[in-house]
Amino acid sequence: LLQRNSLFDSMKEVMLESYHDLPSHLKRCFLYFGIFPEGYSISCMRLVRLWVAEGFVEKRDDTSMEELAKEYLTELIRRCLVHLSRVDFDGRPKSCHVYDLMHKLIARICEEQMFCQVMKDKTAPSSSNSNLDSSLPRRLSIIKSWDAAAMKRVKNWKTVRSCFVFDAAKKWLVTEQFFSSFMLLSQLDLSNARLDNLPKKVGNLFNLKYLSLRNTNIKSIPESIGNLERLQTLDLKRTQVDVLPKKIK
């Protein structure tokens, strides 16, 4: 047991050293894996577009932002910090993940640096909770569903710029109240959430750059989405949407 603990500690030190060796722009991209649940395989294109929307990619005149973000991901894979889950027929990365031990290390760093807040419990903490006294981090990941009363107890949603709702969260979480709580969002990822209706108040999120409804039961998009002049990515793959509002055509 002592030997196993010693080996475990040595592995953590090596991984931590690998993280500290990263340039600052790659550190931010790497920590992004802490937003997703442990064992989660992430679409490489989804990750790339999120990094671009977050402003992690340093613009270069001769290369598109997405191509640069792909280079960042390739470098993380080359350093064996990120691993491929699937590749295309031509060998291009399709999806990727980090190993569970690495994910635990990322989660610890994310907490220490207030990079993101991950809600795994079924009941959200009250606004008097010490972890939320000052403010939430800029990124919020909701893994488990909350009850409506718990949503109302947390008052400082205004700090959140990126919000992720995963499939374990029930569809009633994403309501008019939900959109009223996150008025300054620039990234909203609802991929795989149990969602069949997109409230009209989505059109009030004027800073929104990235909106993913992939693999949900959404059937239509409200006209109000035409108000989102900064929107760069609208992911509707594997939804039931077949007609787009005229304002975004």
Side-chain angles (χ1 to χ4, degrees):
L1 181 61
L2 183 60
Q3 287 180 329
R4 285 207 302 269
N5 287 339
S6 177
L7 178 61
F8 180 74
D9 290 339
S10 297
M11 290 172 63
K12 284 199 298 184
E13 287 301 318
V14 170
M15 288 188 292
L16 195 58
E17 187 174 335
S18 298
Y19 165 74
H20 286 308
D21 282 343
L22 291 172
S24 59
H25 64 282
L26 287 185
K27 282 180 179 177
R28 293 193 298 269
C29 293
F30 184 55
L31 289 182
Y32 221 72
F33 286 87
I35 289 172
F36 301 90
E38 189 173 308
Y40 195 91
S41 182
I42 309 160
S43 160
C44 294
M45 203 63 230
R46 177 186 179 188
L47 197 58
V48 158
R49 287 171 176 163
L50 282 165
W51 288 348
V52 170
E54 285 274 6
F56 290 172
V57 182
E58 300 168 356
K59 191 172 183 180
R60 219 164 57 197
D61 290 339
D62 58 339
T63 311
S64 72
M65 302 283 271
E66 285 193 1
E67 287 303 316
L68 280 173
K70 288 177 185 176
E71 290 180 14
Y72 292 2
L73 180 57
T74 298
E75 179 62 16
L76 290 173
I77 293 170
R78 188 191 70 79
R79 291 173 182 249
C80 297
L81 292 170
V82 176
H83 302 273
L84 292 177
S85 306
R86 288 189 301 146
V87 295
D88 269 335
F89 63 91
D90 58 359
R92 286 184 297 179
K94 185 76 173 176
S95 60
C96 59
H97 66 279
V98 294
Y99 290 142
D100 290 352
L101 183 57
M102 183 65 84
H103 189 277
K104 287 180 172 61
L105 181 66
I106 292 171
R108 193 187 80 189
I109 297 171
C110 284
E111 185 176 357
E112 290 172 352
Q113 297 188 6
M114 292 289 285
F115 182 83
C116 67
Q117 176 86 35
V118 179
M119 299 299 191
K120 296 181 181 179
D121 300 325
K122 291 186 177 180
T123 303
S126 67
S127 57
S128 61
N129 186 298
S130 59
N131 291 329
L132 298 173
D133 273 347
S134 56
S135 67
L136 282 169
R138 290 172 61 88
R139 302 167 190 90
L140 177 66
S141 175
I142 305 174
I143 307 295
K144 292 288 180 68
S145 58
W146 297 345
D147 56 48
M151 276 292 292
K152 291 177 181 177
R153 284 203 303 269
V154 182
K155 304 296 183 183
N156 46 6
W157 298 118
K158 61 184 179 182
T159 63
V160 177
R161 299 295 183 271
S162 302
C163 182
F164 297 75
V165 180
F166 291 95
D167 53 346
K170 291 182 179 178
K171 63 184 180 182
W172 49 256
L173 175 65
V174 187
T175 61
E176 296 281 347
Q177 171 65 34
F178 177 90
F179 284 96
S180 298
S181 301
F182 296 97
M183 295 304 294
L184 297 179
L185 278 183
S186 56
Q187 285 78 235
L188 178 58
D189 196 316
L190 302 173
S191 302
N192 306 304
R194 299 171 190 174
L195 184 66
D196 53 23
N197 177 57
L198 186 64
K200 290 188 292 185
K201 283 198 175 180
V202 67
N204 294 341
L205 303 179
F206 299 115
N207 293 317
L208 206 61
K209 296 179 181 178
Y210 176 98
L211 174 61
S212 178
L213 303 169
R214 178 186 288 247
N215 201 28
T216 64
N217 293 322
I218 292 288
K219 299 177 180 63
S220 63
I221 302 295
E223 291 285 342
S224 63
I225 204 167
N227 299 334
L228 306 181
E229 296 181 358
R230 298 186 181 184
L231 193 64
Q232 299 170 351
T233 299
L234 174 60
D235 190 342
L236 296 173
K237 286 188 177 180
R238 294 195 290 277
T239 67
Q240 299 181 46
V241 176
D242 51 17
V243 178
L244 292 175
K246 293 180 181 178
K247 287 186 178 181
I248 62 171
K249 285 185 179 179

